[in-house]
Amino acid sequence: MSDDHDTTKESSADDSHDVKLTPFTIFRYVASIALLIFSIIIVGALIFTENTRVAQEANPWVALIVCIMAIVWLSMIEGQQASLVGLPPVDPDLYKDSHPLTYKNAALAFKGDNLDRYLMGRQFMVLLVVFVINQCAGPLDPKVDVLGLPDGVKFVFLDIGLGMVIFTCILGQLTTQVNASYCMIDFINNYFALFTLYVAMGVEFSGVMHSSYLIQNILSAMSGKPIISNEEPRTGFTFAFFWGRVVMSIAILGFCLAVTLVALFNGDTMVSVKYPGIPNGVSVFLFFFFMAIVGMLEAMQIAFFAVAKLPADERGTSFFGRKTCDLLFKGNGQNLPGFMIGRQLTVVFSFFLVASITGLNITPGEGNNIFGIKDGAQAFLNYGFHGAVITTILASISWQLAASAYPIAFLNNPATYVLLCVALFLEWTGLCSGAWVLARVMKSVTKYQYDEIYVGTPEERLANNHADKDMTIGQDVGHLTGGGFGGHLVGSHDALDGPIQSKDAVDAAA
């Protein structure tokens, strides 16, 4: 009888999450999978013709293995985020016995301010891993022959980078995000997730990103909003150690910026190799332009989820603010998850461009090392990882914190409306729709179950005296919300492929 009940419950959960298939939806799935296969073939060809940096300087097999490992780890980093920002309201006793490793993840991540530390560390990890993928699989020279492809195809997939974007978004990000948004408990019930959590915490502890905390305090002072903490104020050694790392981080950030700008003005970056027709001054402009694009998109997701549950008349206070909200929350917010998909494509595209811009093209040992540094240090800087530091702090975390302080101001920005239209168009094209197909395959292979199978729906938990905790401080200055996933309730149906329940719609139904 119990088995029949469990089967019925699983079937009901599957039905509630199924996406209605239409001819257009099926076409997008098939086309996206075909583009993914084509992109994988192109990446493989680039690697084995030694037209990527790692393949040329090390070995094609090294480049392939490192690229695969990076994609797999990126998929865990992205999926784990969806799990860890969604589980805090749920009573951990509900999954403590059935999922002991999920419980260990939660016990560490939800202690004090560790979730904020994790989110900061994982943000840098995402950038670092994407930069590694770019070095392993990104073309050194997009003009050379690749499988005899026509120039137009090479321009789209290599010059513009569509192949790398589709390859990374589907395999390294969206597939696991889709599953982890509804199978949070199963997804992190493994040692790989626990290891990734410890690494993210270690990255934050290192202090490389700590200049973000200075920005956090400045924004708090400017906005008049307090920094809410779950820990006692820092005193003595803890206080000195924290601010010492902030100073160290500022020094590291300053050095990274100096390296990048000097190299750009001297024409010593990979831009001069891949796109020799671009003047040095334009390269500097493009660097800051795409940093701003990343920053706006990071801020928009925070601002959108911050105002999603506000009444409609309190969201936008300008012409563009109202147009943005009308488009975003059309049909009870159906465009909000669409924005998240299109945003992912745009951000990854910008990441790869920034990686190309910050990667150096200086041969060690020829006396041209930047600032006269040692050959080993120059060889390391050539990979452009200093760009990951700059992008994480100045184009990601800072803008997220700013949006948490001033969400309405970002909504009223005309650039927000333009970028929203671009993101929704990219999602409409279905370039990454194949992620839903792969997610279903992955779910079947790994035997993931929807969260309501283990902990019930929010309504069932309330009825069984395990009501979700009231998480009301997610938008205060200093709290990173985890890329918008914080709006999803465990066991409900409103994450990546369903509309968020906006407050005006709730009021209308009452």
Side-chain angles (χ1 to χ4, degrees), residues 120-122 124-125 198-209:
M120 184 173 291
R122 62 81 51 192
F124 179 62
M125 289 170 65
Y198 275 113
V199 173
M201 295 287 291
V203 168
E204 190 278 339
F205 180 80
S206 72
V208 175
M209 301 292 109

Side-chain angles (χ1 to χ4, degrees), residues 148-483:
L149 296 174
D151 290 341
V153 176
K154 287 197 296 183
F155 176 77
V156 172
F157 282 87
L158 300 183
D159 284 286
I160 295 178
L162 182 62
M164 285 291 293
V165 171
I166 292 176
F167 172 76
T168 304
C169 279
I170 295 182
L171 295 182
Q173 297 179 305
L174 291 175
T175 298
T176 50
Q177 285 179 356
V178 169
N179 277 331
S181 292
Y182 296 117
C183 308
M184 304 179 194
I185 297 173
D186 272 343
F187 188 85
I188 58 173
N189 191 45
N190 54 78
Y191 284 106
F192 188 22
L194 191 61
F195 168 75
T196 301
L197 174 59
Y198 275 113
V199 173
M201 295 287 291
V203 168
E204 190 278 339
F205 180 80
S206 72
V208 175
M209 301 292 109
H210 267 49
S211 51
S212 300
Y213 290 118
L214 177 61
I215 298 170
Q216 172 197 89
N217 279 268
I218 293 172
L219 287 169
S220 176
M222 290 173 58
S223 65
K225 297 180 179 180
I227 299 174
I228 307 297
S229 175
N230 297 318
E231 298 176 353
E232 295 295 322
R234 301 179 185 89
T235 58
F237 174 77
T238 303
F239 178 87
F241 184 54
F242 173 82
W243 286 104
R245 285 179 292 171
V246 170
V247 173
M248 179 193 72
S249 177
I250 293 173
I252 292 173
L253 177 61
F255 176 76
C256 292
L257 279 169
V259 167
T260 299
L261 293 176
V262 169
L264 283 171
F265 278 116
N266 291 339
D268 290 331
T269 71
M270 292 304 296
V271 174
S272 61
V273 176
K274 293 184 177 181
Y275 315 104
I278 297 180
N280 295 342
V282 175
S283 297
V284 175
F285 168 78
L286 290 175
F287 171 65
F288 286 106
F289 175 77
F290 285 109
M291 291 265 287
I293 294 295
V294 171
M296 279 297 301
L297 291 166
E298 295 282 12
M300 285 165 63
Q301 64 175 347
I302 302 299
F304 289 168
F305 278 84
V307 302
K309 291 183 168 58
L310 292 177
D313 58 357
E314 295 181 14
R315 289 174 183 158
T317 58
S318 72
F319 172 77
F320 280 103
R322 288 188 291 271
K323 285 186 69 67
T324 296
C325 291
D326 289 344
L327 178 60
L328 183 67
F329 298 107
K330 178 182 178 182
N332 190 25
Q334 63 188 17
N335 282 338
L336 186 52
F339 160 75
M340 294 296 290
I341 306 305
R343 168 204 164 275
Q344 195 85 49
L345 281 163
T346 313
V347 166
V348 172
F349 170 72
S350 299
F351 281 170
F352 281 127
L353 281 176
V354 172
S356 296
I357 291 171
T358 57
L360 305 188
N361 184 38
I362 299 175
T363 304
E366 294 185 353
N368 297 319
N369 293 359
I370 196 164
F371 302 142
I373 59 177
K374 294 182 179 296
D375 290 346
Q378 182 61 63
F380 177 77
L381 288 179
N382 281 350
Y383 285 98
F385 295 137
H386 51 282
V389 176
I390 299 171
T391 308
T392 303
I393 298 174
L394 297 184
S396 183
I397 294 175
S398 297
W399 289 69
Q400 289 182 25
L401 294 173
S404 71
Y406 303 103
I408 303 300
F410 277 94
L411 279 179
N412 291 336
N413 190 330
T416 297
Y417 180 73
V418 173
L419 288 172
L420 173 61
C421 292
V422 171
L424 290 176
F425 171 75
L426 289 174
E427 189 278 333
W428 176 84
T429 63
L431 290 172
C432 287
S433 294
W436 273 259
V437 178
L438 295 185
R440 181 57 65 94
V441 173
M442 178 183 180
K443 182 178 180 295
S444 299
V445 171
T446 58
K447 306 299 183 183
Y448 287 160
Q449 296 291 341
Y450 291 115
D451 292 316
E452 54 264 44
I453 300 298
Y454 303 115
V455 298
T457 65
E459 295 77 17
E460 290 171 343
R461 294 195 292 274
L462 178 62
N464 292 326
N465 297 318
H466 287 283
D468 291 353
K469 300 173 186 175
D470 185 15
M471 310 298 289
T472 60
I473 64 172
Q475 294 301 328
D476 285 304
V477 177
H479 283 268
L480 304 177
T481 61

